[in-house]
Amino acid sequence: QVQLVESGGGLVQPGGSLRLSCAASGISFRMYILGWYRQAPVKQRELVAAVSSGGSTNYADSVKCRFTISRDNARNTVTLQMNKLKPDDTAVYYCNAGSGSSPLYWGQGTQVTVSS
C-alpha cells in the first residue's frame, strides 16, 4: 500500500518561513516526478513546484525565488522550503508522486496559513 504523508504546515506571519516535508511508505521515490501542489478556497489545485528524477526543477511564477523543492531518494522524502511567505500562499499543500503524464499518488495535505 502506498501512503504519502505531509507535515510542517502551520500558521505564520507574512515574511515568515515554513518547511514542508513529505514522507512515503509503500513506494520508492527514485523514479517518480515529485511535486508540491496547493489549493486555496474557491481556487483550483495548482502546481507549486516539481522536481524530476534527474533533479530538474520547475516553479510556479508566483513562488519562484521564494520556494525551493528538494528530494532525498535515500530517505524517500521530498521537501518544500518556503520563505518570504505571503497571505496569497495560504492554502492546503499536497505532496504528489507521478509519472509525468499523470499524478499517481497524493498525500492528504497540510494547511499553511499566512496571516498577521
Short mmCIF file of all heavy atoms in Angstrom, two decimals, residues 35-104:
data_model
loop_
_atom_site.label_atom_id
_atom_site.label_comp_id
_atom_site.label_asym_id
_atom_site.label_seq_id
_atom_site.Cartn_x
_atom_site.Cartn_y
_atom_site.Cartn_z
N GLY A 35 6.15 16.43 -6.80
CA GLY A 35 5.64 17.79 -6.84
C GLY A 35 4.91 18.19 -5.59
O GLY A 35 4.45 17.34 -4.82
N TRP A 36 4.84 19.49 -5.40
CA TRP A 36 4.00 20.09 -4.38
C TRP A 36 2.92 20.91 -5.07
O TRP A 36 3.22 21.74 -5.94
CB TRP A 36 4.80 20.98 -3.43
CG TRP A 36 5.64 20.23 -2.45
CD1 TRP A 36 6.95 19.90 -2.55
CD2 TRP A 36 5.19 19.72 -1.19
NE1 TRP A 36 7.36 19.21 -1.44
CE2 TRP A 36 6.30 19.08 -0.59
CE3 TRP A 36 3.98 19.73 -0.52
CZ2 TRP A 36 6.22 18.46 0.67
CZ3 TRP A 36 3.90 19.12 0.72
CH2 TRP A 36 5.01 18.49 1.29
N TYR A 37 1.70 20.64 -4.71
CA TYR A 37 0.55 21.38 -5.20
C TYR A 37 -0.10 22.11 -4.04
O TYR A 37 0.13 21.78 -2.87
CB TYR A 37 -0.47 20.44 -5.84
CG TYR A 37 -0.04 19.79 -7.13
CD1 TYR A 37 0.93 18.80 -7.16
CD2 TYR A 37 -0.64 20.16 -8.35
CE1 TYR A 37 1.32 18.19 -8.34
CE2 TYR A 37 -0.26 19.55 -9.53
CZ TYR A 37 0.71 18.57 -9.52
OH TYR A 37 1.08 17.97 -10.70
N ARG A 38 -0.92 23.07 -4.36
CA ARG A 38 -1.69 23.73 -3.32
C ARG A 38 -3.08 24.08 -3.84
O ARG A 38 -3.29 24.25 -5.03
CB ARG A 38 -0.99 24.99 -2.81
CG ARG A 38 -0.91 26.14 -3.80
CD ARG A 38 -0.07 27.27 -3.24
NE ARG A 38 0.01 28.40 -4.15
CZ ARG A 38 0.81 29.44 -3.97
NH1 ARG A 38 1.60 29.51 -2.89
NH2 ARG A 38 0.82 30.44 -4.85
N GLN A 39 -4.01 24.18 -2.91
CA GLN A 39 -5.37 24.54 -3.24
C GLN A 39 -5.90 25.49 -2.18
O GLN A 39 -5.99 25.14 -1.01
CB GLN A 39 -6.27 23.31 -3.35
CG GLN A 39 -7.66 23.61 -3.85
CD GLN A 39 -8.43 22.36 -4.24
OE1 GLN A 39 -8.06 21.26 -3.84
NE2 GLN A 39 -9.47 22.53 -5.02
N ALA A 40 -6.23 26.68 -2.62
CA ALA A 40 -6.82 27.69 -1.76
C ALA A 40 -8.33 27.67 -1.94
O ALA A 40 -8.85 27.17 -2.95
CB ALA A 40 -6.26 29.07 -2.10
N PRO A 41 -9.07 28.21 -0.96
CA PRO A 41 -10.52 28.26 -1.10
C PRO A 41 -10.96 28.94 -2.39
O PRO A 41 -10.40 29.96 -2.79
CB PRO A 41 -10.96 29.07 0.12
CG PRO A 41 -9.89 28.83 1.13
CD PRO A 41 -8.62 28.75 0.33
N VAL A 42 -11.92 28.35 -3.05
CA VAL A 42 -12.52 28.87 -4.27
C VAL A 42 -11.52 28.90 -5.44
O VAL A 42 -11.74 29.59 -6.43
CB VAL A 42 -13.13 30.28 -4.05
CG1 VAL A 42 -14.12 30.62 -5.16
CG2 VAL A 42 -13.83 30.37 -2.71
N LYS A 43 -10.46 28.14 -5.33
CA LYS A 43 -9.49 28.07 -6.40
C LYS A 43 -9.19 26.61 -6.73
O LYS A 43 -9.35 25.72 -5.90
CB LYS A 43 -8.19 28.79 -6.04
CG LYS A 43 -8.34 30.27 -5.81
CD LYS A 43 -7.01 30.94 -5.58
CE LYS A 43 -6.15 30.94 -6.85
NZ LYS A 43 -4.87 31.67 -6.65
N GLN A 44 -8.73 26.38 -7.96
CA GLN A 44 -8.34 25.05 -8.36
C GLN A 44 -6.97 24.70 -7.82
O GLN A 44 -6.16 25.57 -7.51
CB GLN A 44 -8.34 24.93 -9.89
CG GLN A 44 -9.71 25.02 -10.53
CD GLN A 44 -9.66 24.80 -12.03
OE1 GLN A 44 -8.69 25.18 -12.69
NE2 GLN A 44 -10.70 24.19 -12.57
N ARG A 45 -6.73 23.41 -7.70
CA ARG A 45 -5.42 22.96 -7.27
C ARG A 45 -4.38 23.32 -8.33
O ARG A 45 -4.60 23.11 -9.52
CB ARG A 45 -5.44 21.46 -7.02
CG ARG A 45 -4.18 20.92 -6.38
CD ARG A 45 -4.35 19.46 -5.95
NE ARG A 45 -5.42 19.30 -4.97
CZ ARG A 45 -5.71 18.15 -4.37
NH1 ARG A 45 -4.99 17.06 -4.63
NH2 ARG A 45 -6.70 18.09 -3.51
N GLU A 46 -3.26 23.86 -7.89
CA GLU A 46 -2.23 24.29 -8.81
C GLU A 46 -0.88 23.72 -8.42
O GLU A 46 -0.60 23.48 -7.25
CB GLU A 46 -2.14 25.83 -8.85
CG GLU A 46 -1.71 26.46 -7.53
CD GLU A 46 -1.47 27.95 -7.63
OE1 GLU A 46 -1.29 28.47 -8.75
OE2 GLU A 46 -1.46 28.62 -6.56
N LEU A 47 -0.06 23.53 -9.42
CA LEU A 47 1.30 23.06 -9.19
C LEU A 47 2.15 24.21 -8.68
O LEU A 47 2.22 25.27 -9.29
CB LEU A 47 1.90 22.50 -10.49
CG LEU A 47 3.35 22.04 -10.41
CD1 LEU A 47 3.48 20.83 -9.49
CD2 LEU A 47 3.87 21.70 -11.80
N VAL A 48 2.81 23.98 -7.56
CA VAL A 48 3.70 24.96 -6.96
C VAL A 48 5.14 24.73 -7.39
O VAL A 48 5.83 25.67 -7.79
CB VAL A 48 3.59 24.93 -5.42
CG1 VAL A 48 4.58 25.91 -4.79
CG2 VAL A 48 2.17 25.25 -4.99
N ALA A 49 5.59 23.51 -7.28
CA ALA A 49 6.96 23.16 -7.61
C ALA A 49 7.05 21.68 -7.92
O ALA A 49 6.27 20.88 -7.40
CB ALA A 49 7.92 23.52 -6.46
N ALA A 50 8.00 21.32 -8.77
CA ALA A 50 8.20 19.93 -9.12
C ALA A 50 9.68 19.68 -9.33
O ALA A 50 10.44 20.58 -9.71
CB ALA A 50 7.43 19.56 -10.38
N VAL A 51 10.08 18.45 -9.09
CA VAL A 51 11.46 18.04 -9.31
C VAL A 51 11.44 16.67 -9.99
O VAL A 51 10.73 15.76 -9.56
CB VAL A 51 12.27 18.02 -8.00
CG1 VAL A 51 11.63 17.12 -6.95
CG2 VAL A 51 13.71 17.61 -8.26
N SER A 52 12.20 16.54 -11.06
CA SER A 52 12.24 15.31 -11.82
C SER A 52 13.18 14.30 -11.17
O SER A 52 13.92 14.61 -10.23
CB SER A 52 12.69 15.59 -13.25
OG SER A 52 14.07 15.89 -13.29
N SER A 53 13.16 13.09 -11.71
CA SER A 53 14.06 12.07 -11.21
C SER A 53 15.51 12.44 -11.44
O SER A 53 16.39 11.98 -10.70
CB SER A 53 13.75 10.72 -11.87
OG SER A 53 13.90 10.80 -13.28
N GLY A 54 15.76 13.27 -12.44
CA GLY A 54 17.11 13.72 -12.72
C GLY A 54 17.52 14.97 -11.98
O GLY A 54 18.66 15.42 -12.12
N GLY A 55 16.60 15.55 -11.20
CA GLY A 55 16.92 16.71 -10.39
C GLY A 55 16.53 18.05 -10.98
O GLY A 55 16.75 19.08 -10.34
N SER A 56 15.94 18.06 -12.17
CA SER A 56 15.48 19.32 -12.75
C SER A 56 14.26 19.83 -11.99
O SER A 56 13.39 19.05 -11.62
CB SER A 56 15.14 19.15 -14.22
OG SER A 56 16.28 18.75 -14.96
N THR A 57 14.19 21.14 -11.79
CA THR A 57 13.11 21.73 -11.02
C THR A 57 12.32 22.73 -11.85
O THR A 57 12.84 23.35 -12.78
CB THR A 57 13.63 22.43 -9.76
OG1 THR A 57 14.58 23.45 -10.14
CG2 THR A 57 14.31 21.44 -8.84
N ASN A 58 11.05 22.86 -11.49
CA ASN A 58 10.18 23.86 -12.07
C ASN A 58 9.36 24.49 -10.95
O ASN A 58 8.96 23.80 -10.01
CB ASN A 58 9.24 23.26 -13.11
CG ASN A 58 9.96 22.85 -14.37
OD1 ASN A 58 10.55 23.68 -15.06
ND2 ASN A 58 9.91 21.56 -14.69
N TYR A 59 9.09 25.79 -11.08
CA TYR A 59 8.34 26.52 -10.08
C TYR A 59 7.27 27.37 -10.73
O TYR A 59 7.46 27.89 -11.83
CB TYR A 59 9.25 27.43 -9.26
CG TYR A 59 10.30 26.71 -8.47
CD1 TYR A 59 11.57 26.50 -9.00
CD2 TYR A 59 10.04 26.24 -7.19
CE1 TYR A 59 12.54 25.84 -8.27
CE2 TYR A 59 11.01 25.58 -6.46
CZ TYR A 59 12.26 25.38 -7.00
OH TYR A 59 13.24 24.73 -6.28
N ALA A 60 6.16 27.50 -10.04
CA ALA A 60 5.18 28.49 -10.46
C ALA A 60 5.80 29.87 -10.35
O ALA A 60 6.61 30.15 -9.46
CB ALA A 60 3.93 28.40 -9.59
N ASP A 61 5.42 30.76 -11.27
CA ASP A 61 5.98 32.11 -11.26
C ASP A 61 5.74 32.82 -9.93
O ASP A 61 6.58 33.61 -9.48
CB ASP A 61 5.39 32.93 -12.40
CG ASP A 61 5.89 32.51 -13.76
OD1 ASP A 61 6.94 31.84 -13.83
OD2 ASP A 61 5.24 32.86 -14.76
N SER A 62 4.63 32.53 -9.29
CA SER A 62 4.28 33.21 -8.06
C SER A 62 5.17 32.85 -6.88
O SER A 62 5.22 33.58 -5.89
CB SER A 62 2.82 32.92 -7.69
OG SER A 62 2.60 31.54 -7.52
N VAL A 63 5.88 31.73 -6.97
CA VAL A 63 6.73 31.29 -5.86
C VAL A 63 8.20 31.24 -6.21
O VAL A 63 9.03 30.99 -5.33
CB VAL A 63 6.28 29.92 -5.32
CG1 VAL A 63 4.80 29.92 -4.98
CG2 VAL A 63 6.61 28.81 -6.32
N LYS A 64 8.52 31.46 -7.46
CA LYS A 64 9.91 31.41 -7.90
C LYS A 64 10.75 32.41 -7.09
O LYS A 64 10.35 33.53 -6.86
CB LYS A 64 9.99 31.70 -9.39
CG LYS A 64 11.34 31.39 -10.02
CD LYS A 64 11.28 31.53 -11.54
CE LYS A 64 10.30 30.57 -12.16
NZ LYS A 64 10.29 30.66 -13.66
N CYS A 65 11.91 31.96 -6.68
CA CYS A 65 12.87 32.73 -5.89
C CYS A 65 12.50 32.79 -4.40
O CYS A 65 13.27 33.34 -3.60
CB CYS A 65 13.07 34.15 -6.42
SG CYS A 65 13.69 34.22 -8.10
N ARG A 66 11.35 32.26 -4.03
CA ARG A 66 10.96 32.20 -2.63
C ARG A 66 10.91 30.77 -2.10
O ARG A 66 11.20 30.55 -0.92
CB ARG A 66 9.60 32.87 -2.41
CG ARG A 66 9.59 34.35 -2.74
CD ARG A 66 8.28 35.00 -2.28
NE ARG A 66 7.13 34.44 -2.99
CZ ARG A 66 6.12 33.81 -2.38
NH1 ARG A 66 6.12 33.67 -1.06
NH2 ARG A 66 5.09 33.35 -3.09
N PHE A 67 10.50 29.85 -2.95
CA PHE A 67 10.35 28.44 -2.55
C PHE A 67 11.44 27.60 -3.19
O PHE A 67 11.90 27.89 -4.30
CB PHE A 67 8.99 27.89 -3.00
CG PHE A 67 7.79 28.46 -2.30
CD1 PHE A 67 7.89 29.54 -1.45
CD2 PHE A 67 6.54 27.89 -2.50
CE1 PHE A 67 6.78 30.07 -0.81
CE2 PHE A 67 5.42 28.40 -1.87
CZ PHE A 67 5.54 29.49 -1.02
N THR A 68 11.81 26.53 -2.51
CA THR A 68 12.79 25.59 -3.02
C THR A 68 12.32 24.17 -2.76
O THR A 68 12.01 23.82 -1.62
CB THR A 68 14.17 25.79 -2.38
OG1 THR A 68 14.62 27.13 -2.60
CG2 THR A 68 15.19 24.82 -2.99
N ILE A 69 12.26 23.38 -3.82
CA ILE A 69 11.90 21.98 -3.68
C ILE A 69 13.17 21.13 -3.74
O ILE A 69 14.09 21.43 -4.49
CB ILE A 69 10.90 21.54 -4.78
CG1 ILE A 69 10.40 20.11 -4.52
CG2 ILE A 69 11.51 21.65 -6.17
CD1 ILE A 69 9.25 19.70 -5.43
N SER A 70 13.21 20.09 -2.94
CA SER A 70 14.35 19.19 -2.95
C SER A 70 13.88 17.77 -2.63
O SER A 70 12.85 17.57 -2.00
CB SER A 70 15.42 19.64 -1.94
OG SER A 70 14.90 19.66 -0.62
N ARG A 71 14.65 16.82 -3.10
CA ARG A 71 14.30 15.42 -2.88
C ARG A 71 15.48 14.67 -2.30
O ARG A 71 16.64 14.99 -2.56
CB ARG A 71 13.84 14.76 -4.19
CG ARG A 71 14.92 14.67 -5.26
CD ARG A 71 14.33 14.25 -6.61
NE ARG A 71 13.76 12.92 -6.57
CZ ARG A 71 12.86 12.47 -7.44
NH1 ARG A 71 12.43 13.26 -8.42
NH2 ARG A 71 12.41 11.23 -7.33
N ASP A 72 15.16 13.65 -1.52
CA ASP A 72 16.16 12.77 -0.95
C ASP A 72 15.67 11.35 -1.21
O ASP A 72 14.85 10.83 -0.46
CB ASP A 72 16.35 13.03 0.54
CG ASP A 72 17.51 12.25 1.13
OD1 ASP A 72 17.87 11.18 0.60
OD2 ASP A 72 18.08 12.72 2.14
N ASN A 73 16.17 10.77 -2.28
CA ASN A 73 15.70 9.44 -2.66
C ASN A 73 16.06 8.38 -1.62
O ASN A 73 15.32 7.42 -1.41
CB ASN A 73 16.26 9.05 -4.02
CG ASN A 73 15.68 9.87 -5.15
OD1 ASN A 73 14.55 10.35 -5.07
ND2 ASN A 73 16.45 10.03 -6.21
N ALA A 74 17.20 8.55 -0.98
CA ALA A 74 17.63 7.58 0.02
C ALA A 74 16.68 7.54 1.20
O ALA A 74 16.42 6.48 1.77
CB ALA A 74 19.05 7.88 0.48
N ARG A 75 16.18 8.71 1.59
CA ARG A 75 15.24 8.79 2.71
C ARG A 75 13.79 8.76 2.27
O ARG A 75 12.89 8.81 3.12
CB ARG A 75 15.52 10.05 3.53
CG ARG A 75 16.90 10.06 4.17
CD ARG A 75 17.03 11.18 5.17
NE ARG A 75 18.32 11.17 5.83
CZ ARG A 75 18.63 11.89 6.89
NH1 ARG A 75 17.72 12.69 7.43
NH2 ARG A 75 19.85 11.81 7.43
N ASN A 76 13.57 8.73 0.95
CA ASN A 76 12.21 8.67 0.41
C ASN A 76 11.37 9.86 0.87
O ASN A 76 10.22 9.71 1.30
CB ASN A 76 11.53 7.35 0.81
CG ASN A 76 10.84 6.68 -0.35
OD1 ASN A 76 11.26 6.79 -1.51
ND2 ASN A 76 9.76 5.97 -0.07
N THR A 77 11.95 11.04 0.76
CA THR A 77 11.27 12.25 1.17
C THR A 77 11.43 13.34 0.12
O THR A 77 12.37 13.33 -0.68
CB THR A 77 11.81 12.79 2.50
OG1 THR A 77 13.21 13.06 2.38
CG2 THR A 77 11.60 11.78 3.63
N VAL A 78 10.50 14.27 0.14
CA VAL A 78 10.60 15.48 -0.66
C VAL A 78 10.16 16.64 0.23
O VAL A 78 9.22 16.51 1.02
CB VAL A 78 9.74 15.40 -1.94
CG1 VAL A 78 8.27 15.17 -1.61
CG2 VAL A 78 9.92 16.64 -2.80
N THR A 79 10.87 17.74 0.13
CA THR A 79 10.60 18.89 0.98
C THR A 79 10.33 20.13 0.15
O THR A 79 10.72 20.22 -1.02
CB THR A 79 11.76 19.17 1.94
OG1 THR A 79 12.93 19.54 1.19
CG2 THR A 79 12.08 17.95 2.78
N LEU A 80 9.65 21.07 0.76
CA LEU A 80 9.41 22.37 0.15
C LEU A 80 9.76 23.43 1.19
O LEU A 80 9.06 23.58 2.19
CB LEU A 80 7.96 22.51 -0.29
CG LEU A 80 7.62 23.81 -1.02
CD1 LEU A 80 8.30 23.85 -2.39
CD2 LEU A 80 6.11 23.97 -1.18
N GLN A 81 10.85 24.13 0.95
CA GLN A 81 11.25 25.24 1.80
C GLN A 81 10.56 26.50 1.29
O GLN A 81 10.74 26.89 0.14
CB GLN A 81 12.76 25.42 1.79
CG GLN A 81 13.27 26.61 2.61
CD GLN A 81 13.01 26.45 4.08
OE1 GLN A 81 13.27 25.39 4.65
NE2 GLN A 81 12.49 27.49 4.71
N MET A 82 9.79 27.14 2.14
CA MET A 82 9.02 28.30 1.77
C MET A 82 9.50 29.50 2.57
O MET A 82 9.42 29.50 3.81
CB MET A 82 7.52 28.07 2.00
CG MET A 82 6.99 26.82 1.31
SD MET A 82 5.19 26.65 1.47
CE MET A 82 5.06 26.41 3.25
N ASN A 83 9.98 30.51 1.88
CA ASN A 83 10.47 31.73 2.51
C ASN A 83 9.67 32.93 2.04
O ASN A 83 9.02 32.89 1.01
CB ASN A 83 11.95 31.93 2.19
CG ASN A 83 12.83 30.81 2.69
OD1 ASN A 83 12.60 30.26 3.77
ND2 ASN A 83 13.86 30.48 1.91
N LYS A 84 9.76 33.99 2.82
CA LYS A 84 9.07 35.24 2.48
C LYS A 84 7.60 34.98 2.14
O LYS A 84 7.10 35.44 1.12
CB LYS A 84 9.79 35.95 1.34
CG LYS A 84 11.22 36.34 1.67
CD LYS A 84 11.89 37.06 0.52
CE LYS A 84 13.31 37.47 0.87
NZ LYS A 84 13.98 38.16 -0.26
N LEU A 85 6.95 34.28 3.01
CA LEU A 85 5.57 33.88 2.76
C LEU A 85 4.63 35.08 2.72
O LEU A 85 4.81 36.06 3.44
CB LEU A 85 5.11 32.90 3.83
CG LEU A 85 5.67 31.48 3.65
CD1 LEU A 85 5.57 30.69 4.95
CD2 LEU A 85 4.94 30.76 2.52
N LYS A 86 3.64 34.97 1.86
CA LYS A 86 2.64 36.00 1.65
C LYS A 86 1.26 35.45 1.98
O LYS A 86 1.04 34.24 1.93
CB LYS A 86 2.66 36.47 0.19
CG LYS A 86 4.00 36.96 -0.31
CD LYS A 86 3.93 37.28 -1.80
CE LYS A 86 5.26 37.76 -2.32
NZ LYS A 86 5.20 38.06 -3.78
N PRO A 87 0.31 36.32 2.30
CA PRO A 87 -1.06 35.84 2.54
C PRO A 87 -1.62 35.02 1.38
O PRO A 87 -2.38 34.08 1.61
CB PRO A 87 -1.84 37.13 2.75
CG PRO A 87 -0.84 38.07 3.34
CD PRO A 87 0.45 37.75 2.63
N ASP A 88 -1.24 35.35 0.15
CA ASP A 88 -1.72 34.60 -1.01
C ASP A 88 -1.19 33.17 -1.05
O ASP A 88 -1.67 32.36 -1.84
CB ASP A 88 -1.35 35.32 -2.30
CG ASP A 88 -2.20 36.55 -2.57
OD1 ASP A 88 -3.22 36.72 -1.88
OD2 ASP A 88 -1.85 37.33 -3.47
N ASP A 89 -0.19 32.86 -0.24
CA ASP A 89 0.32 31.50 -0.16
C ASP A 89 -0.56 30.60 0.69
O ASP A 89 -0.33 29.39 0.75
CB ASP A 89 1.74 31.48 0.40
CG ASP A 89 2.73 32.18 -0.51
OD1 ASP A 89 2.64 32.01 -1.75
OD2 ASP A 89 3.62 32.89 0.01
N THR A 90 -1.53 31.17 1.38
CA THR A 90 -2.42 30.39 2.23
C THR A 90 -3.17 29.36 1.40
O THR A 90 -3.83 29.70 0.42
CB THR A 90 -3.41 31.30 2.95
OG1 THR A 90 -2.70 32.18 3.84
CG2 THR A 90 -4.41 30.48 3.76
N ALA A 91 -3.05 28.10 1.79
CA ALA A 91 -3.67 27.01 1.05
C ALA A 91 -3.39 25.70 1.76
O ALA A 91 -2.59 25.65 2.70
CB ALA A 91 -3.14 26.94 -0.38
N VAL A 92 -4.05 24.66 1.30
CA VAL A 92 -3.68 23.31 1.69
C VAL A 92 -2.65 22.83 0.68
O VAL A 92 -2.88 22.89 -0.53
CB VAL A 92 -4.88 22.36 1.72
CG1 VAL A 92 -4.43 20.94 2.06
CG2 VAL A 92 -5.91 22.85 2.73
N TYR A 93 -1.53 22.36 1.17
CA TYR A 93 -0.43 21.92 0.31
C TYR A 93 -0.39 20.40 0.27
O TYR A 93 -0.45 19.73 1.30
CB TYR A 93 0.90 22.46 0.83
CG TYR A 93 1.09 23.93 0.51
CD1 TYR A 93 0.35 24.90 1.16
CD2 TYR A 93 2.01 24.33 -0.47
CE1 TYR A 93 0.50 26.24 0.85
CE2 TYR A 93 2.18 25.67 -0.77
CZ TYR A 93 1.42 26.62 -0.11
OH TYR A 93 1.59 27.95 -0.42
N TYR A 94 -0.27 19.88 -0.95
CA TYR A 94 -0.31 18.44 -1.19
C TYR A 94 0.97 17.96 -1.84
O TYR A 94 1.48 18.58 -2.77
CB TYR A 94 -1.47 18.07 -2.10
CG TYR A 94 -2.84 18.41 -1.57
CD1 TYR A 94 -3.41 19.65 -1.80
CD2 TYR A 94 -3.56 17.47 -0.83
CE1 TYR A 94 -4.67 19.96 -1.32
CE2 TYR A 94 -4.82 17.78 -0.35
CZ TYR A 94 -5.37 19.03 -0.60
OH TYR A 94 -6.62 19.33 -0.12
N CYS A 95 1.45 16.85 -1.37
CA CYS A 95 2.58 16.16 -1.96
C CYS A 95 2.07 15.20 -3.03
O CYS A 95 1.02 14.58 -2.87
CB CYS A 95 3.34 15.40 -0.88
SG CYS A 95 4.69 14.36 -1.45
N ASN A 96 2.83 15.07 -4.12
CA ASN A 96 2.42 14.20 -5.21
C ASN A 96 3.61 13.48 -5.80
O ASN A 96 4.71 14.03 -5.91
CB ASN A 96 1.73 15.02 -6.31
CG ASN A 96 1.51 14.23 -7.57
OD1 ASN A 96 2.31 14.30 -8.52
ND2 ASN A 96 0.44 13.45 -7.60
N ALA A 97 3.38 12.25 -6.21
CA ALA A 97 4.35 11.48 -6.98
C ALA A 97 3.66 11.00 -8.24
O ALA A 97 2.58 10.40 -8.18
CB ALA A 97 4.87 10.30 -6.17
N GLY A 98 4.28 11.25 -9.39
CA GLY A 98 3.66 10.90 -10.65
C GLY A 98 4.66 10.47 -11.69
O GLY A 98 5.87 10.48 -11.47
N SER A 99 4.11 10.12 -12.84
CA SER A 99 4.93 9.65 -13.96
C SER A 99 5.29 10.76 -14.93
O SER A 99 6.12 10.56 -15.80
CB SER A 99 4.18 8.54 -14.71
OG SER A 99 3.02 9.05 -15.33
N GLY A 100 4.66 11.91 -14.78
CA GLY A 100 4.81 13.00 -15.74
C GLY A 100 3.59 13.14 -16.62
O GLY A 100 3.21 14.26 -16.98
N SER A 101 3.00 12.03 -16.97
CA SER A 101 1.76 12.05 -17.74
C SER A 101 0.53 12.07 -16.85
O SER A 101 -0.55 12.48 -17.29
CB SER A 101 1.69 10.84 -18.68
OG SER A 101 1.74 9.63 -17.96
N SER A 102 0.68 11.63 -15.61
CA SER A 102 -0.44 11.64 -14.69
C SER A 102 0.06 11.65 -13.25
O SER A 102 1.09 11.04 -12.95
CB SER A 102 -1.35 10.43 -14.91
OG SER A 102 -0.64 9.23 -14.69
N PRO A 103 -0.65 12.34 -12.37
CA PRO A 103 -0.31 12.29 -10.94
C PRO A 103 -0.87 11.01 -10.33
O PRO A 103 -2.08 10.82 -10.28
CB PRO A 103 -0.99 13.53 -10.38
CG PRO A 103 -2.16 13.76 -11.29
CD PRO A 103 -1.73 13.30 -12.65
N LEU A 104 0.00 10.15 -9.87
CA LEU A 104 -0.41 8.82 -9.45
C LEU A 104 -0.78 8.73 -7.97
O LEU A 104 -1.73 8.04 -7.61
CB LEU A 104 0.69 7.81 -9.76
CG LEU A 104 1.08 7.66 -11.24
CD1 LEU A 104 2.22 6.68 -11.40
CD2 LEU A 104 -0.13 7.23 -12.06
#
